[in-house]
C-alpha cells in the first residue's frame, strides 16, 4: 500500500510551515505563521542565524533558536506577502538552505527563496492519501478558509477523478472532500481538487496523479526509447506540412503523436522491453524556414524552437492526440517523458516579444555560442545558440515562476511522467532544482515518482560536469557521454574492450549510489552507429549535406555484428539504457540532420535489419524479465582485447552473466563468479541459443561462440 498522511504546505519551500486553527461555521481558517528551520547533519559550533531580504540583509543577522534537539528555528511575523531571499549564517559562514530547492537572486547573488503567501487566499490541505495495488483509493482533503473568513463559494469547489466530477465527495458544511473507491483499474489515474472562496479568490489546486499496479515501478526495469516524433511514424497524413524551399533532410517528414500511439497499440515498444518512452518537445514551433548549421535552411521539425507556450506542434497533433499517446502507454505500464527546452525560445515566442526587456532573457551580455570571444564553455550560461533563439535568464524569479507553471501545466494536461532536460549545462542550476522541487511536492503527496534526465554534452572526461547536476534535489541522472565515447570507439571502430571496462569502472567510483544515468549507443546529435561501424563516414561525423552521405541501407554484415556487440553491452548496463529510434534496425546516417532519417518498419526492413531488431528485442525482454539485469551489481569477470565477460547479481543470489566474443574462435574459459552468484549452483541458459551454463563458483566453465554474444539468465522451470 502507498499511504501518505500530511498537511499541504502553504509556502513554497518544504521546510516552511503554516498551521490551520479556529473555525467559522465548521470551516477551518488558515494562519500564516512562517517558520524557517535548519537541521544540520552534524552538530555546529557557534551560533546559527538568518540574514534575510526582509531586513535588507542587515549587518546583524537574526538568531535562530535551538529547540532542544539540534534543530534551529526562527519564526517570522508581519511580513508582507511576497518573495524574499535569505541565507543561513552558521558560525561566520553564509550558506543556502540545504532543504529548499528554490532560489532568488538579489543584487546578482543567489539566496534561498522564501515565499510568504497572502493569508486571505484559501488553501487546500491534503490530509490523507492511500492507494493499494488492488485498486482501493482513499483521499481526504480539507478546505481552509482565508483569514477574512469569506467562506467557500457555492460553485467552483469540486473534486474529480480522471476528469469526472465527484460531487458526492464534497461536504459543503465542513469544507471537506472524502473519496473512497475500490476496484480501480490497473494503470495511471489522477484526482484533481479545486476551490475558491465567495469573493473569487482561488486556492492553489491539488493535482494528485497515482498508479494502480502490482509492484512499485523502477525506472531501470526496462529500456528507454527516443521516438523522434517527426521521423518516427506518420499515421495522419492530413496534418503533414513541409515548408517550401527546404531540403527534406531538414524539413517536416510527417511523423506525429498518432503514429507513436499506433506503434504503442501494435506492441512495438512492448516487444523491445521499453518501459520509458521519450518524445520530442511538444510545443508549437515557428512556421517558415531559418538558417542553421552550415548556412542551410531548416524548419522546426525537431521541436527545439518553441514559439508558443501551452500549445502543441500542430503537425504532431492536438493535445487530445497527445493525451491518447500517453494513455496508450500507461495502459501498458510504460512511462512517457517529454523533451523540455529550458534554455531558449524562438524569437516569435510571446515571452520574448512581451518580456524581452523585463529581465527574462540574457540580452546585452548574450553572444552567439562558438563565435569569436564567445566560448561554448566560458559563456555557457549566457550565450545563445543562434540569433533567433534568445537565451533565458534563470536569475529572473518572474520567469522561473512562469516556466515552472508551464511545466506543471504540461505534466497535468499531457499526463507526463517526467522530462528530459535539454542543454542542462547552459542554464543556472535553479532550472533543474525548481522543476525537481515542484515534482517532489507531488511525490510527497501521492508517492508518484517522476524521472528527470539531463543532457549535458561532454567528452570522455566530463564526469564531474555531469555529476554536478545529479542529486535528490535536481536530476536523477544524465545521458552518459563519458561512457558513450569509449563505447563507440570499442564497438563501432573495433578498439580494445579494456577501454569500455575502464570507463564503466570509473563510473562506479564517481557517481553516487542511486544515480540513474542513461548509457546509449547513439542519439540525435551524433552520426549513426551503423554508419560509423560500416565505414560510411569520412571525417568526424561526415557531412550530412554531402551527395556522398551514407546510402539508405547498410549491407555490411560485419557492421551488424558490431551493433549486436554494442547493444549487448549497453542494454545490460545499470541505469536506464537508451535506444535511439532506428538504431535497433541499423538505420544509417551522417551527422545532424542526416542522423534523423524516417524510421522503417516491417517489410521495409532488410533481412540484416530484421535480424538486428530481433536481437535487440531479446535483450529488452531479458531485462524486463530479470531483476538482476535491472538493478544488480555489475562485476567484471574477464576483459581482453576482443573478449568481455561481466556479471550482474542481486543480494538474494539471482544474477546474469553477459559475454561478448569478437574473436574468430569459440572461447571456453573458467570464470570466477563473485557476489551473490559465487555460492550458486543453479543452471542458467543463454537467451539467444538456450545453451545451458552450470554455475560452479570459482570453477564456472563458460562457453562463448566465435563472433558471438551470450546472455545467461536463470533457467525457467
Amino acid at each position: 500500500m502507498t499511504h501518505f498522511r500530511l498537511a499541504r504546505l502553504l509556502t513554497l519551500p518544504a521546510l516552511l510551515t503554516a498551521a490551520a486553527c479556529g473555525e467559522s461555521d465548521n470551516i477551518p481558517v488558515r494562519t500564516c505563521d512562517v517558520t524557517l528551520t535548519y537541521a544540520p547533519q552534524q552538530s555546529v559550533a557557534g551560533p546559527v542565524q538568518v540574514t534575510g531580504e526582509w531586513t535588507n540583509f542587515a549587518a546583524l543577522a537574526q538568531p535562530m533558536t535551538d529547540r532542544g534537539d539540534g534543530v534551529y528555528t526562527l519564526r517570522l511575523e508581519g511580513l508582507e506577502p511576497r518573495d524574499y531571499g535569505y541565507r543561513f549564517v552558521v558560525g561566520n559562514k553564509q550558506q543556502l538552505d540545504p532543504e529548499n530547492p528554490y532560489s532568488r537572486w538579489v543584487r546578482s547573488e543567489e539566496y534561498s527563496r522564501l515565499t510568504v503567501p497572502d493569508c486571505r487566499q484559501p488553501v487546500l490541505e491534503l490530509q490523507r492519501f492511500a492507494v493499494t495495488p488492488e485498486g482501493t483509493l482513499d483521499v481526504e482533503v480539507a478546505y481552509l478558509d482565508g483569514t477574512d473568513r469569506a467562506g467557500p463559494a457555492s460553485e467552483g469547489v469540486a473534486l474529480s477523478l480522471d476528469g469526472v466530477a465527484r460531487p458526492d465527495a464534497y461536504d459543503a458544511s465542513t469544507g471537506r472532500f472524502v473519496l473512497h473507491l475500490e476496484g480501480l483499474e490497473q494503470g495511471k489515474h489522477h484526482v484533481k481538487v479545486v476551490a475558491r472562496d465567495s469573493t473569487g479568490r482561488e486556492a492553489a489546486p491539488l493535482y494528485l496523479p497515482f498508479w494502480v499496479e502490482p509492484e512499485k515501478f523502477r525506472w531501470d526495469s526496462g529500456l528507454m526509447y527516443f521516438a523522434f516524433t517527426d521521423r518516427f511514424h506518420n499515421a495522419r497524413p492530413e496534418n503533414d506540412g513541409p515548408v517550401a524551399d527546404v531540403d527534406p533532410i531538414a524539413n517536416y517528414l510527417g511523423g506525429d503523436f498518432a503514429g507513436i500511439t499506433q506503434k504503442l497499440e501494435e506492441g512495438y515498444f512492448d516487444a523491445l522491453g521499453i518501459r520509458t518512452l521519450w518524445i520530442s518537445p511538444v510545443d508549437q514551433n515557428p512556421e517558415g524556414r531559418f538558417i542553421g548549421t552550415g548556412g542551410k535552411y531548416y524548419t522546426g521539425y525537431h521541436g527545439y524552437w518553441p514559439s508558443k507556450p501551452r500549445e502543441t506542434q500542430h503537425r504532431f497533433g492536438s493535445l487530445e492526440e497527445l493525451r491518447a499517446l500517453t494513455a496508450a502507454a500507461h495502459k501498458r505500464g510504460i512511462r512517457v517523458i517529454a523533451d523540455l527546452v529550458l534554455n531558449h525560445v524562438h524569437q516569435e515566442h510571446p515571452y520574448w516579444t512581451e518580456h524581452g526587456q523585463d529581465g527574462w532573457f540574457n540580452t546585452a551580455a548574450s553572444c552567439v555560442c562558438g563565435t569569436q570571444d564567445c566560448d561554448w564553455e566560458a559563456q555557457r550560461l549566457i550565450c545563445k545558440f543562434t540569433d533567433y533563439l534568445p537565451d533565458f535568464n534563470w536569475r529572473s524569479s518572474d520567469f522561473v515562476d512562469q516556466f515552472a507553471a508551464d511545466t506543471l501545466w504540461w505534466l497535468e494536461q499531457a499526463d507526463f511522467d517526467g522530462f528530459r532536460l535539454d542543454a542542462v549545462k547552459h542554464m543556472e542550476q535553479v532550472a533543474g532544482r525548481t522543476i525537481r522541487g515542484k515534482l517532489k511536492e507531488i511525490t510527497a503527496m501521492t508517492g508518484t515518482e517522476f524521472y528527470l534526465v539531463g543532457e549535458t554534452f561532454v567528452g570522455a572526461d566530463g564526469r564531474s560536469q555531469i555529476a554536478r547536476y545529479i542529486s535528490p534535489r535536481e536530476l536523477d541522472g544524465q545521458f552518459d557521454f563519458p561512457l558513450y565515447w569509449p563505447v563507440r570507439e570499442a564497438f563501432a571502430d573495433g578498439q580494445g574492450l579494456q577501454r569500455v571496462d575502464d570507463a564503466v569502472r570509473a563510473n562506479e567510483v564517481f557517481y553516487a549510489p542511486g544515480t540513474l544515468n542513461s548509457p546509449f549507443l547513439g542519439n540525435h546529435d551524433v552520426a549513426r552507429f551503423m554508419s560509423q561501424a560500416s565505414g560510411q563516414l569520412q571525417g568526424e561525423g561526415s557531412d550530412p549535406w554531402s551527395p556522398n552521405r551514407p546510402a539508405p541501407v547498410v549491407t555490411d554484415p560485419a557492421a551488424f555484428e558490431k551493433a549486436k556487440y554494442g547493444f549487448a553491452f549497453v542494454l545490460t548496463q545499470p541505469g536506464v539504457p537508451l535506444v535511439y529510434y532506428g538504431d535497433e534496425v541499423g538505420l544509417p546516417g551522417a551527422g545532424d540532420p542526416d542522423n534523423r532519417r524516417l524510421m522503417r518498419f516491417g517489410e521495409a526492413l532488410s533481412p540484416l535489419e530484421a535480424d538486428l531488431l530481433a536481437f535487440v528485442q531479446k535483450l529488452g525482454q531479458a531485462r524486463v524479465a530479470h531483476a538482476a539485469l535491472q538493478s544488480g551489481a555489475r562485476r567484471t569477470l574477464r576483459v581482453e582485447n576482443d573478449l568481455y565477460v561481466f556479471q550482474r547479481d542481486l543480494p538474494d543470489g539471482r544474477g546474469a552473466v553477459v559475454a561478448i566474443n569478437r574473436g574468430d574462435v569459440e572461447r571456453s574459459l573458467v570464470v570466477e563468479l563473485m557476489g551473490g552468484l559465487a555460492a550458486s549452483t543453479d543452471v542458467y541458459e543463454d537467451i539467444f541459443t538456450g545453451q545451458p551454463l552450470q554455475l560452479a563458483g570459482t570453477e564456472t566453465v563458460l562457453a562463448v561462440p566465435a563472433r558471438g554474444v551470450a546472455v545467461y539468465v536463470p533457467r525457467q522451470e
Side-chain angles (χ1 to χ4, degrees), residues 51-95:
T51 179
E53 195 176 358
W54 52 88
T55 63
N56 198 26
F57 305 107
L60 186 61
Q62 294 175 272
M64 302 187 77
T65 301
D66 186 341
R67 66 186 189 189
D69 58 358
V71 176
Y72 295 81
T73 63
L74 173 65
R75 182 176 177 179
L76 300 170
E77 297 179 334
L79 297 185
E80 175 188 353
R82 50 160 287 200
D83 290 336
Y84 298 89
Y86 71 96
R87 290 177 183 165
F88 293 135
V89 183
V90 183
N92 59 359
K93 293 184 178 180
Q94 293 190 11
Q95 67 176 58

Short mmCIF file of all heavy atoms in Angstrom, two decimals, residues 51-95:
data_model
loop_
_atom_site.label_atom_id
_atom_site.label_comp_id
_atom_site.label_asym_id
_atom_site.label_seq_id
_atom_site.Cartn_x
_atom_site.Cartn_y
_atom_site.Cartn_z
N THR A 51 20.16 35.70 7.68
CA THR A 51 20.19 37.03 7.06
C THR A 51 19.17 37.03 5.94
O THR A 51 19.15 36.12 5.11
CB THR A 51 21.60 37.39 6.55
OG1 THR A 51 21.55 38.69 5.95
CG2 THR A 51 22.13 36.38 5.55
N GLY A 52 18.28 38.02 5.94
CA GLY A 52 17.16 37.98 5.01
C GLY A 52 16.86 39.30 4.35
O GLY A 52 17.18 40.38 4.86
N GLU A 53 16.20 39.22 3.23
CA GLU A 53 15.83 40.40 2.47
C GLU A 53 14.81 41.24 3.20
O GLU A 53 14.70 42.45 2.96
CB GLU A 53 15.30 39.96 1.10
CG GLU A 53 15.21 41.07 0.07
CD GLU A 53 14.77 40.56 -1.29
OE1 GLU A 53 14.56 39.32 -1.45
OE2 GLU A 53 14.63 41.40 -2.20
N TRP A 54 14.04 40.62 4.13
CA TRP A 54 13.03 41.38 4.86
C TRP A 54 13.65 42.40 5.81
O TRP A 54 12.98 43.33 6.24
CB TRP A 54 12.11 40.43 5.64
CG TRP A 54 12.83 39.45 6.51
CD1 TRP A 54 13.23 39.63 7.80
CD2 TRP A 54 13.26 38.14 6.14
NE1 TRP A 54 13.90 38.52 8.27
CE2 TRP A 54 13.91 37.57 7.27
CE3 TRP A 54 13.16 37.38 4.98
CZ2 TRP A 54 14.45 36.29 7.26
CZ3 TRP A 54 13.69 36.10 4.98
CH2 TRP A 54 14.32 35.56 6.10
N THR A 55 14.95 42.24 6.13
CA THR A 55 15.66 43.25 6.91
C THR A 55 16.72 43.95 6.06
O THR A 55 17.60 44.60 6.60
CB THR A 55 16.34 42.62 8.14
OG1 THR A 55 17.34 41.68 7.69
CG2 THR A 55 15.33 41.92 9.03
N ASN A 56 16.60 43.76 4.74
CA ASN A 56 17.59 44.30 3.79
C ASN A 56 18.99 43.77 4.11
O ASN A 56 19.97 44.49 3.99
CB ASN A 56 17.58 45.83 3.80
CG ASN A 56 18.23 46.41 2.55
OD1 ASN A 56 18.26 45.76 1.50
ND2 ASN A 56 18.79 47.60 2.67
N PHE A 57 19.01 42.50 4.54
CA PHE A 57 20.27 41.83 4.86
C PHE A 57 21.09 42.65 5.86
O PHE A 57 22.26 42.95 5.65
CB PHE A 57 21.10 41.55 3.60
CG PHE A 57 20.34 40.77 2.56
CD1 PHE A 57 19.88 41.40 1.40
CD2 PHE A 57 20.06 39.43 2.74
CE1 PHE A 57 19.18 40.70 0.44
CE2 PHE A 57 19.34 38.72 1.78
CZ PHE A 57 18.90 39.35 0.62
N ALA A 58 20.42 42.99 6.94
CA ALA A 58 21.06 43.80 7.97
C ALA A 58 22.35 43.16 8.45
O ALA A 58 22.48 41.92 8.50
CB ALA A 58 20.11 43.99 9.15
N ALA A 59 23.29 44.00 8.83
CA ALA A 59 24.59 43.50 9.27
C ALA A 59 24.44 42.56 10.46
O ALA A 59 25.20 41.59 10.61
CB ALA A 59 25.50 44.68 9.63
N LEU A 60 23.47 42.82 11.31
CA LEU A 60 23.24 41.97 12.47
C LEU A 60 22.17 40.95 12.10
O LEU A 60 20.98 41.27 12.02
CB LEU A 60 22.79 42.81 13.67
CG LEU A 60 22.65 42.05 15.01
CD1 LEU A 60 24.00 41.45 15.42
CD2 LEU A 60 22.12 42.98 16.09
N ALA A 61 22.59 39.70 11.85
CA ALA A 61 21.66 38.66 11.44
C ALA A 61 20.75 38.27 12.60
O ALA A 61 21.07 38.47 13.78
CB ALA A 61 22.43 37.44 10.93
N GLN A 62 19.59 37.69 12.26
CA GLN A 62 18.62 37.27 13.28
C GLN A 62 19.00 35.89 13.82
O GLN A 62 19.19 34.94 13.04
CB GLN A 62 17.21 37.22 12.68
CG GLN A 62 16.68 38.59 12.26
CD GLN A 62 15.33 38.46 11.56
OE1 GLN A 62 15.28 38.27 10.36
NE2 GLN A 62 14.25 38.56 12.32
N PRO A 63 19.09 35.75 15.13
CA PRO A 63 19.47 34.46 15.70
C PRO A 63 18.35 33.43 15.60
O PRO A 63 17.17 33.76 15.71
CB PRO A 63 19.78 34.79 17.16
CG PRO A 63 18.93 36.00 17.46
CD PRO A 63 18.89 36.79 16.17
N MET A 64 18.72 32.18 15.36
CA MET A 64 17.78 31.07 15.38
C MET A 64 17.88 30.37 16.74
O MET A 64 18.91 30.42 17.41
CB MET A 64 18.07 30.08 14.25
CG MET A 64 18.03 30.70 12.87
SD MET A 64 18.18 29.47 11.53
CE MET A 64 16.53 28.76 11.52
N THR A 65 16.81 29.71 17.13
CA THR A 65 16.75 29.07 18.45
C THR A 65 16.83 27.57 18.32
O THR A 65 16.11 26.96 17.51
CB THR A 65 15.43 29.45 19.16
OG1 THR A 65 15.35 30.86 19.29
CG2 THR A 65 15.36 28.81 20.54
N ASP A 66 17.71 26.97 19.10
CA ASP A 66 17.80 25.52 19.15
C ASP A 66 16.61 25.02 19.96
O ASP A 66 16.46 25.34 21.14
CB ASP A 66 19.11 25.10 19.83
CG ASP A 66 19.33 23.59 19.79
OD1 ASP A 66 18.35 22.85 19.59
OD2 ASP A 66 20.49 23.17 19.99
N ARG A 67 15.76 24.25 19.33
CA ARG A 67 14.54 23.80 20.01
C ARG A 67 14.81 22.64 20.97
O ARG A 67 13.87 22.10 21.58
CB ARG A 67 13.48 23.42 19.00
CG ARG A 67 13.80 22.21 18.16
CD ARG A 67 12.76 21.98 17.07
NE ARG A 67 12.96 20.69 16.42
CZ ARG A 67 12.32 20.30 15.33
NH1 ARG A 67 11.43 21.11 14.75
NH2 ARG A 67 12.54 19.09 14.82
N GLY A 68 16.08 22.26 21.13
CA GLY A 68 16.44 21.25 22.10
C GLY A 68 16.94 19.95 21.51
O GLY A 68 17.48 19.11 22.23
N ASP A 69 16.78 19.79 20.19
CA ASP A 69 17.23 18.55 19.55
C ASP A 69 18.25 18.80 18.45
O ASP A 69 18.45 17.96 17.57
CB ASP A 69 16.04 17.78 18.98
CG ASP A 69 15.24 18.61 17.97
OD1 ASP A 69 15.60 19.79 17.75
OD2 ASP A 69 14.26 18.08 17.41
N GLY A 70 18.89 19.96 18.50
CA GLY A 70 19.88 20.28 17.48
C GLY A 70 19.29 20.87 16.22
O GLY A 70 20.02 21.13 15.25
N VAL A 71 17.98 21.11 16.20
CA VAL A 71 17.30 21.73 15.08
C VAL A 71 17.00 23.18 15.45
O VAL A 71 16.47 23.46 16.52
CB VAL A 71 16.00 20.99 14.72
CG1 VAL A 71 15.26 21.72 13.61
CG2 VAL A 71 16.30 19.55 14.30
N TYR A 72 17.34 24.10 14.54
CA TYR A 72 17.21 25.52 14.81
C TYR A 72 16.01 26.09 14.06
O TYR A 72 15.74 25.73 12.91
CB TYR A 72 18.47 26.26 14.39
CG TYR A 72 19.69 25.87 15.18
CD1 TYR A 72 20.41 24.71 14.86
CD2 TYR A 72 20.13 26.64 16.25
CE1 TYR A 72 21.52 24.34 15.59
CE2 TYR A 72 21.26 26.27 16.99
CZ TYR A 72 21.94 25.13 16.66
OH TYR A 72 23.04 24.76 17.38
N THR A 73 15.27 26.98 14.71
CA THR A 73 14.08 27.57 14.10
C THR A 73 14.07 29.09 14.31
O THR A 73 14.69 29.62 15.23
CB THR A 73 12.79 26.98 14.68
OG1 THR A 73 12.71 27.29 16.09
CG2 THR A 73 12.74 25.47 14.49
N LEU A 74 13.35 29.75 13.42
CA LEU A 74 13.11 31.19 13.55
C LEU A 74 11.71 31.48 13.03
O LEU A 74 11.40 31.18 11.86
CB LEU A 74 14.13 32.01 12.76
CG LEU A 74 13.87 33.52 12.70
CD1 LEU A 74 13.97 34.15 14.09
CD2 LEU A 74 14.85 34.20 11.74
N ARG A 75 10.86 32.02 13.86
CA ARG A 75 9.51 32.39 13.46
C ARG A 75 9.52 33.82 12.95
O ARG A 75 10.05 34.72 13.60
CB ARG A 75 8.55 32.25 14.63
CG ARG A 75 7.11 32.58 14.29
CD ARG A 75 6.20 32.32 15.48
NE ARG A 75 4.83 32.70 15.19
CZ ARG A 75 3.83 32.56 16.04
NH1 ARG A 75 4.07 32.04 17.25
NH2 ARG A 75 2.61 32.93 15.71
N LEU A 76 8.93 34.01 11.78
CA LEU A 76 8.88 35.33 11.16
C LEU A 76 7.44 35.83 11.18
O LEU A 76 6.52 35.11 10.77
CB LEU A 76 9.40 35.26 9.72
CG LEU A 76 10.85 34.77 9.56
CD1 LEU A 76 11.16 34.50 8.10
CD2 LEU A 76 11.82 35.78 10.14
N GLU A 77 7.25 37.06 11.62
CA GLU A 77 5.90 37.60 11.74
C GLU A 77 5.80 38.93 11.01
O GLU A 77 6.77 39.68 10.90
CB GLU A 77 5.53 37.79 13.21
CG GLU A 77 5.49 36.51 14.01
CD GLU A 77 5.13 36.74 15.47
OE1 GLU A 77 5.39 37.85 15.97
OE2 GLU A 77 4.57 35.82 16.09
N GLY A 78 4.60 39.20 10.52
CA GLY A 78 4.29 40.51 9.96
C GLY A 78 4.93 40.80 8.61
O GLY A 78 5.01 41.97 8.22
N LEU A 79 5.35 39.77 7.88
CA LEU A 79 5.97 40.01 6.59
C LEU A 79 4.91 40.23 5.51
O LEU A 79 3.89 39.55 5.46
CB LEU A 79 6.86 38.83 6.19
CG LEU A 79 8.06 38.53 7.09
CD1 LEU A 79 8.90 37.41 6.47
CD2 LEU A 79 8.90 39.77 7.32
N GLU A 80 5.18 41.18 4.65
CA GLU A 80 4.31 41.44 3.51
C GLU A 80 4.33 40.23 2.57
O GLU A 80 5.38 39.65 2.32
CB GLU A 80 4.80 42.69 2.77
CG GLU A 80 4.04 42.99 1.50
CD GLU A 80 4.68 44.12 0.70
OE1 GLU A 80 5.63 44.74 1.23
OE2 GLU A 80 4.24 44.36 -0.44
N PRO A 81 3.17 39.84 2.04
CA PRO A 81 3.14 38.70 1.10
C PRO A 81 3.97 39.00 -0.15
O PRO A 81 3.63 39.88 -0.94
CB PRO A 81 1.65 38.55 0.77
CG PRO A 81 0.94 39.19 1.90
CD PRO A 81 1.81 40.33 2.33
N ARG A 82 5.06 38.29 -0.31
CA ARG A 82 5.93 38.44 -1.47
C ARG A 82 7.07 37.44 -1.33
O ARG A 82 7.11 36.64 -0.40
CB ARG A 82 6.49 39.87 -1.58
CG ARG A 82 7.10 40.42 -0.32
CD ARG A 82 8.04 41.59 -0.54
NE ARG A 82 9.30 41.16 -1.14
CZ ARG A 82 10.42 41.87 -1.10
NH1 ARG A 82 10.43 43.07 -0.52
NH2 ARG A 82 11.53 41.43 -1.64
N ASP A 83 8.03 37.49 -2.26
CA ASP A 83 9.21 36.64 -2.19
C ASP A 83 10.35 37.37 -1.49
O ASP A 83 10.52 38.59 -1.67
CB ASP A 83 9.67 36.24 -3.60
CG ASP A 83 8.72 35.27 -4.27
OD1 ASP A 83 7.98 34.58 -3.55
OD2 ASP A 83 8.71 35.22 -5.51
N TYR A 84 11.14 36.60 -0.75
CA TYR A 84 12.30 37.14 -0.06
C TYR A 84 13.49 36.19 -0.26
O TYR A 84 13.32 34.97 -0.32
CB TYR A 84 12.04 37.28 1.44
CG TYR A 84 10.92 38.21 1.82
CD1 TYR A 84 9.61 37.73 1.91
CD2 TYR A 84 11.15 39.55 2.09
CE1 TYR A 84 8.56 38.57 2.27
CE2 TYR A 84 10.11 40.41 2.45
CZ TYR A 84 8.82 39.91 2.53
OH TYR A 84 7.79 40.74 2.89
N GLY A 85 14.67 36.75 -0.31
CA GLY A 85 15.88 35.95 -0.31
C GLY A 85 16.43 35.83 1.09
O GLY A 85 16.30 36.76 1.90
N TYR A 86 17.04 34.70 1.41
CA TYR A 86 17.64 34.53 2.73
C TYR A 86 18.77 33.51 2.65
O TYR A 86 18.85 32.69 1.73
CB TYR A 86 16.61 34.09 3.77
CG TYR A 86 16.12 32.66 3.60
CD1 TYR A 86 16.68 31.61 4.33
CD2 TYR A 86 15.09 32.36 2.71
CE1 TYR A 86 16.23 30.31 4.17
CE2 TYR A 86 14.63 31.07 2.55
CZ TYR A 86 15.21 30.04 3.29
OH TYR A 86 14.77 28.75 3.12
N ARG A 87 19.65 33.57 3.64
CA ARG A 87 20.70 32.57 3.83
C ARG A 87 20.83 32.28 5.32
O ARG A 87 20.58 33.15 6.16
CB ARG A 87 22.04 33.07 3.30
CG ARG A 87 22.16 33.18 1.79
CD ARG A 87 23.51 33.76 1.42
NE ARG A 87 23.67 33.96 -0.01
CZ ARG A 87 24.62 34.70 -0.57
NH1 ARG A 87 25.52 35.31 0.21
NH2 ARG A 87 24.70 34.84 -1.87
N PHE A 88 21.26 31.07 5.62
CA PHE A 88 21.64 30.76 6.99
C PHE A 88 23.08 31.22 7.21
O PHE A 88 23.92 31.14 6.31
CB PHE A 88 21.54 29.26 7.25
CG PHE A 88 20.13 28.73 7.23
CD1 PHE A 88 19.82 27.56 6.56
CD2 PHE A 88 19.11 29.40 7.88
CE1 PHE A 88 18.53 27.07 6.54
CE2 PHE A 88 17.81 28.93 7.87
CZ PHE A 88 17.51 27.75 7.19
N VAL A 89 23.36 31.68 8.41
CA VAL A 89 24.71 32.05 8.81
C VAL A 89 25.12 31.09 9.92
O VAL A 89 24.59 31.15 11.03
CB VAL A 89 24.79 33.51 9.30
CG1 VAL A 89 26.24 33.88 9.63
CG2 VAL A 89 24.20 34.46 8.26
N VAL A 90 25.99 30.18 9.58
CA VAL A 90 26.43 29.15 10.53
C VAL A 90 27.87 29.48 10.92
O VAL A 90 28.78 29.42 10.08
CB VAL A 90 26.35 27.75 9.91
CG1 VAL A 90 26.75 26.69 10.93
CG2 VAL A 90 24.93 27.48 9.40
N GLY A 91 28.05 29.85 12.19
CA GLY A 91 29.35 30.37 12.60
C GLY A 91 29.54 31.71 11.92
O GLY A 91 28.76 32.63 12.09
N ASN A 92 30.55 31.79 11.07
CA ASN A 92 30.77 33.04 10.33
C ASN A 92 30.62 32.85 8.83
O ASN A 92 31.08 33.66 8.04
CB ASN A 92 32.16 33.61 10.65
CG ASN A 92 33.27 32.63 10.28
OD1 ASN A 92 33.00 31.54 9.81
ND2 ASN A 92 34.51 33.03 10.50
N LYS A 93 29.96 31.73 8.43
CA LYS A 93 29.81 31.44 7.01
C LYS A 93 28.34 31.43 6.62
O LYS A 93 27.51 30.85 7.31
CB LYS A 93 30.45 30.09 6.67
CG LYS A 93 31.96 30.07 6.82
CD LYS A 93 32.53 28.72 6.38
CE LYS A 93 34.05 28.71 6.49
NZ LYS A 93 34.62 27.39 6.06
N GLN A 94 28.05 32.08 5.49
CA GLN A 94 26.70 32.06 4.95
C GLN A 94 26.52 30.84 4.04
O GLN A 94 27.45 30.42 3.35
CB GLN A 94 26.41 33.33 4.15
CG GLN A 94 26.36 34.59 4.98
CD GLN A 94 25.84 35.79 4.18
OE1 GLN A 94 25.33 35.63 3.08
NE2 GLN A 94 25.98 36.97 4.76
N GLN A 95 25.31 30.29 4.03
CA GLN A 95 25.03 29.16 3.15
C GLN A 95 23.56 29.17 2.76
O GLN A 95 22.70 29.68 3.48
CB GLN A 95 25.38 27.84 3.83
CG GLN A 95 24.50 27.49 5.02
CD GLN A 95 24.84 26.12 5.59
OE1 GLN A 95 25.97 25.87 5.99
NE2 GLN A 95 23.86 25.25 5.64
#
